[in-house]
């Protein structure tokens, strides 16, 4: 075997074992490299889609928590409304009840106006939906966001000091409950997508690994073989050099 060929193979053995990769350049396996890069691109896409799903779920958790707070306030307003419906209470009593209701309404308005995720308002109606890329090719899911302001709930002018209809509060409670149910369904869908993307990415990574990763026992064996061949080559070269030296010495001795 030629000297340059043995040295080249040794260098290749060392390179592959140092990186633990079978493919370090296109020269190692052009077709394999192309397939591996394609699998890497797909895997990275699914990983990013998983991150998108996780972020969107976090956003929905924020919205659901805020809606839960609004729902609690509405339930309290309903209790106060039932209290105000009792004819034993005077106008001053009802004014006191209305004062608490106004505070609860202010709380609802504040929650709806200030709940945000990454600077995006979630419940004031300014953002009606959010699209999330949930696959490697960019396709995704559209998630609706509710408008939970006092006007949207129909209770902006709700007042128990005069004639009032508790049905308005019941409708508002149903509205918020429906919004929370929708958000819950979207959140569950995101959980499924996240798990599926993680599983798909892992399979793609495994497939890429089978193409790129080194068969260590085989390459260690090749390295040992090439080392032996290199040592044999050096031994033969040394032997030839020794023979040539002895021949020259004999020749010079004969001449003298």
């Amino acid at each position: 075997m030629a000297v340059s060929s043995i040295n080249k193979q040794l260098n290749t053995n060392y390179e592959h074992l140092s990186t633990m990769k079978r493919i370090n350049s296109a020269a190692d396996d052009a077709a394999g490299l192309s397939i591996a890069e394609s699998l890497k691109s797909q895997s990275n896409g699914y990983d990013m889609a998983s991150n998108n799903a996780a972020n969107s779920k976090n956003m929905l958790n924020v919205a659901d928590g805020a809606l839960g707070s609004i729902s609690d306030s509405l339930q309290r307003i309903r209790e106060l409304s039932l209290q105000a419906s009792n004819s034993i209470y005077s106008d001053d009593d009802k004014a006191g009840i209305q004062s608490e209701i106004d505070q609860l309404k202010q709380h609802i308005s504040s929650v709806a106006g200030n709940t945000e995720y990454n600077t995006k308002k979630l419940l004031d109606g300014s953002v009606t939906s959010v699209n999330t890329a949930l696959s490697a090719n960019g396709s995704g899911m559209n998630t609706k966001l509710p408008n939970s302001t006092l006007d949207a709930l129909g209770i902006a002018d709700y007042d128990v000091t005069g004639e009032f209809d508790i049905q308005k509060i019941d409708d508002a409670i149903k509205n918020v409950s429906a919004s929370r149910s929708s958000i819950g369904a979207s959140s569950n869908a995101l959980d499924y997508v996240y798990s599926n993307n993680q599983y798909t990415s892992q399979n793609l990574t495994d497939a890429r690994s089978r193409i790129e990763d080194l068969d260590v026992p085989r390459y260690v064996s090749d390295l040992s073989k090439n080392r032996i061949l290199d040592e044999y080559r050096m031994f033969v070269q040394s032997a030839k050099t020794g023979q040539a030296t002895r021949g020259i010495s004999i020749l010079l001795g004969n001449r003298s």
Side-chain angles (χ1 to χ4, degrees):
M1 183 177 292
V3 174
S4 60
S5 179
I6 295 177
N7 288 337
K8 181 179 180 180
Q9 289 190 26
L10 277 171
N11 289 335
T12 299
N13 292 148
Y14 285 125
E15 178 187 12
H16 286 172
L17 287 170
S18 67
T19 62
M20 301 301 288
K21 294 290 185 181
R22 184 181 69 85
I23 304 176
N24 292 296
S25 67
D28 293 327
D29 184 349
L33 178 64
S34 177
I35 295 172
E37 287 299 308
S38 177
L39 291 172
K40 179 180 180 180
S41 177
Q42 293 179 57
S43 177
N44 289 343
Y46 279 107
D47 287 341
M48 182 53 65
S50 293
N51 290 337
N52 290 343
N55 288 332
S56 289
K57 183 175 174 63
N58 290 337
M59 177 195 69
L60 293 182
N61 287 341
V62 170
D64 183 59
L67 287 172
S69 179
I70 290 174
S71 180
D72 290 341
S73 294
L74 289 172
Q75 292 290 353
R76 178 57 181 162
I77 290 174
R78 191 177 194 283
E79 292 174 2
L80 292 170
S81 298
L82 287 174
Q83 184 180 2
S85 298
N86 197 328
S87 61
I88 66 171
Y89 290 105
S90 66
D91 290 343
D92 288 341
D93 293 331
K94 291 183 178 181
I97 292 173
Q98 182 60 38
S99 178
E100 183 177 349
I101 289 176
D102 287 341
Q103 291 178 9
L104 291 167
K105 287 166 60 179
Q106 180 58 43
H107 171 71
I108 292 173
S109 180
S110 177
V111 171
N114 296 323
T115 298
E116 60 181 45
Y117 185 84
N118 194 29
T119 72
K120 288 185 178 296
K121 303 289 186 179
L122 302 182
L123 303 177
D124 69 349
S126 60
V127 179
T128 58
S129 64
V130 175
N131 186 68
T132 306
L134 297 176
S135 70
N137 61 13
S139 61
M141 181 178 78
N142 189 273
T143 303
K144 293 183 178 180
L145 296 175
N147 184 343
S148 299
T149 60
L150 293 175
D151 286 329
L153 293 176
I155 59 170
D157 299 323
Y158 190 75
D159 192 327
V160 299
T161 58
E163 294 294 328
F164 63 93
D165 185 358
I166 296 180
Q167 185 62 44
K168 288 186 177 182
I169 302 301
D170 289 336
D171 290 343
I173 292 173
K174 289 179 181 178
N175 186 317
V176 173
S177 295
S179 296
R180 296 190 71 185
S181 294
S182 177
I183 285 176
S186 296
S187 182
N188 290 336
L190 289 171
D191 281 335
Y192 171 79
V193 170
Y194 179 86
S195 297
N196 183 67
N197 283 350
Q198 291 288 92
Y199 180 73
T200 302
S201 176
Q202 183 60 53
N203 285 337
L204 289 169
T205 299
D206 290 344
R208 178 187 166 204
S209 177
R210 285 191 291 272
I211 295 173
E212 282 189 330
D213 288 356
L214 195 67
D215 182 351
V216 176
R218 174 190 165 190
Y219 273 78
V220 169
S221 177
D222 286 346
L223 177 61
S224 298
K225 180 189 71 175
N226 289 326
R227 278 177 172 173
I228 292 172
L229 289 174
D230 190 50
E231 290 172 1
Y232 176 73
R233 175 188 62 78
M234 294 176 67
F235 172 77
V236 171
Q237 184 177 9
S238 177
K240 288 181 178 180
T241 302
Q243 289 176 358
T245 301
R246 287 195 296 273
I248 292 173
S249 297
I250 292 172
L251 180 60
L252 293 175
N254 291 337
R255 288 184 177 180
S256 62

